[in-house]
């Protein structure tokens, strides 16, 4: 009986996105504005990523520093060291705990480390997330901690690129982007396919997006933004990334004039390994980057 219940729950969880999408497809025909809001809320509302019971065991080794951006607080974690400071930005439905292996390696190499919980993730305030709001928080943290290096994973990497090219950025020496998405439209297409949205929903969704954000979706391309970056960059992307296509990482590297590209295999979207950590630390320690 227990096995049957577990299988039933698994099947429900598997089918739930399509059931939600089908409902919004129906709503779009008689209440398009409501359908657009529902679709936008789904895209911006994480359903995971808050701290789990065991995760503070590692994070409590750091100093918890709460910072304020607008009317919301966000959580940062500071591991003090004698060397330059590195800021870490996690990805969607994750939190600063995901960096624990790299953090240990960075500390052993003498760096000071700051990890930031994104809006609506970890111990940070908020119910919704977008890269612009994450960049606003990052701007506050950059001024507070004055880091030398910036490392991001997934949408955290996209946020790092967006921050550096759209805000009055604190000077950095280098940036590392791991498994970054390139085009926002690619993410939206993935979102559409997961939920089974029809073209009517996507039509009203696109209109709602333009009303909510400064530019339409086609503007938000990391491979375009990096053309403005002069500092050295390290782009790491796994050829089997199941969320952000490998080709996106290649496009970012191609347009980032002063960058190095590392292709990994069988690490998938997480892109974590001792070899990846070693490559990052080696890159940060290089005095001259050609």
């Amino acid at each position: 009986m227990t096995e049957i219940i577990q299988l039933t729950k698994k099947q429900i969880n598997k089918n739930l996105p399509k059931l939600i999408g089908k409902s919004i497809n129906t709503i779009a025909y008689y209440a398009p504005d409501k359908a657009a809001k529902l679709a936008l809320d789904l895209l911006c509302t994480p359903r995971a990523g808050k701290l789990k019971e065991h995760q503070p065991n590692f994070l409590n080794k750091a100093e918890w520093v709460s910072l304020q951006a607008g009317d919301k607080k966000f959580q940062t974690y500071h591991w003090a060291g004698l060397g330059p400071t590195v800021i870490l930005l996690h990805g969607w439905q994750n939190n600063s705990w995901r960096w624990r292996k790299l953090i240990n390696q960075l500390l052993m190499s003498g760096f000071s480390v700051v990890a930031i919980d994104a809006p609506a993730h970890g111990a940070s305030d908020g119910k919704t997330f977008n890269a612009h709001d994450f960049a606003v928080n990052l701007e506050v943290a950059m001024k507070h901690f004055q880091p030398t290096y910036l490392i991001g994973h997934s949408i955290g990497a996209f946020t790092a690129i967006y921050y550096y090219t759209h805000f009055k950025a604190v000077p950095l020496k280098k940036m590392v982007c791991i498994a970054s998405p390139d085009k926002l439209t690619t993410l939206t297409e993935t979102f559409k396919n997961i939920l089974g949205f029809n073209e009517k929903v996507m039509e009203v969704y696109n209109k709602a997006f333009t009303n909510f954000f400064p530019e339409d979706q086609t503007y938000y391309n990391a491979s375009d933004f990096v053309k403005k970056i002069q500092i050295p960059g390290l782009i790491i992307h796994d050829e089997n990334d199941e969320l952000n296509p490998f080709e996106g990482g290649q496009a970012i590297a191609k347009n980032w004039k002063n960058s190095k590209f590392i292709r990994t295999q069988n690490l998938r979207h997480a892109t974590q390994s001792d070899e990846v950590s070693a490559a990052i630390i080696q890159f940060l320690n290089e005095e001259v980057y050609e």
Side-chain angles (χ1 to χ4, degrees):
M1 180 62 72
T2 301
E3 290 180 356
I4 293 173
I5 292 173
Q6 288 176 341
L7 286 170
T8 302
K9 286 182 177 179
K10 186 176 181 180
Q11 192 65 33
I12 289 172
N13 289 335
K14 181 180 178 181
N15 293 331
L16 188 58
K18 294 291 186 184
L19 293 172
I20 293 171
K22 191 174 290 186
S23 298
I24 295 175
N25 286 344
T26 302
I27 293 170
Y29 286 102
Y30 64 86
D33 290 343
K34 183 176 181 180
K37 184 179 185 306
L38 288 170
L40 196 58
D41 284 348
L42 273 174
L43 179 65
C44 296
T45 304
R47 282 157 291 284
K50 286 296 186 180
L51 290 183
K52 296 180 180 178
E53 186 176 351
H54 67 281
Q55 292 176 342
N57 294 336
F58 172 76
L59 297 173
N60 282 337
K61 297 174 184 178
E63 176 189 6
W64 289 43
V65 181
S66 293
L67 298 176
Q68 189 86 23
D71 62 347
K72 291 183 174 62
K73 291 182 180 179
F74 65 96
Q75 190 62 53
T76 72
Y77 310 88
H78 182 207
W79 291 262
L82 297 177
T85 298
V86 182
I87 282 187
L88 306 173
L89 305 175
H90 66 79
W92 174 251
Q93 296 193 148
N94 221 310
N95 60 58
S96 294
W97 184 80
R98 72 90 56 197
W99 293 112
R100 63 200 179 282
K101 294 180 182 178
L102 178 59
I103 287 170
N104 285 330
Q105 293 298 315
L106 288 167
L107 293 174
M108 287 174 60
S109 299
F111 292 93
S112 294
V113 181
V114 174
I116 303 176
D117 283 340
H121 293 74
S124 291
D125 289 350
K127 294 182 179 179
T128 61
F129 168 91
N130 63 71
H132 177 81
D133 288 348
F134 200 4
V136 169
N137 289 8
L138 175 58
E139 181 179 41
V140 174
M142 293 288 288
K143 291 176 180 176
H144 183 88
F145 292 106
Q146 296 290 314
T148 304
Y149 307 112
L150 187 56
I151 301 175
H153 173 253
S154 191
I155 196 64
F158 185 94
T159 298
I161 292 168
Y162 178 76
Y163 158 79
Y164 197 77
T165 54
H166 289 76
F167 290 70
K168 190 175 181 180
V170 170
L172 286 169
K173 284 191 176 180
K174 296 176 183 178
M175 193 185 306
V176 179
C177 295
I178 307 165
S180 177
D182 177 15
K183 300 179 184 299
L184 181 59
T185 52
T186 303
L187 290 179
T188 303
E189 187 65 22
T190 299
F191 172 64
K192 171 191 171 184
N193 292 336
I194 289 172
L195 288 147
F197 283 156
N198 59 28
E199 292 306 316
K200 179 64 176 178
V201 171
M202 296 314 299
E203 178 187 342
V204 296
Y205 170 84
N206 290 333
K207 288 180 181 178
F209 184 96
T210 305
N211 291 334
F212 190 77
F213 293 99
E215 306 286 346
D216 66 33
Q217 291 186 72
T218 59
Y219 171 78
Y220 295 95
N221 300 327
S223 57
D224 289 334
F225 298 158
V226 297
K227 294 175 183 178
K228 304 175 184 177
I229 299 180
Q230 300 301 317
I231 63 171
L234 176 63
I235 297 99
I236 304 173
H237 214 111
D238 194 79
E239 63 182 28
N240 303 118
D241 191 320
E242 70 278 20
L243 295 181
N244 296 328
F246 176 73
E247 292 75 17
Q250 290 180 306
I252 293 169
K254 180 180 179 181
N255 287 347
W256 193 329
K257 183 179 179 181
N258 195 10
S259 71
K260 177 181 179 181
F261 183 70
I262 294 179
R263 174 185 190 142
T264 63
Q265 293 179 314
N266 302 318
L267 298 180
R268 300 176 69 82
H269 182 62
T271 324
Q272 296 192 81
S273 70
D274 291 342
E275 292 75 18
V276 168
S277 295
I280 291 170
I281 291 169
Q282 179 182 344
F283 171 73
L284 298 184
N285 280 328
E286 290 172 350
E287 288 296 329
V288 178
Y289 182 70
E290 298 178 357

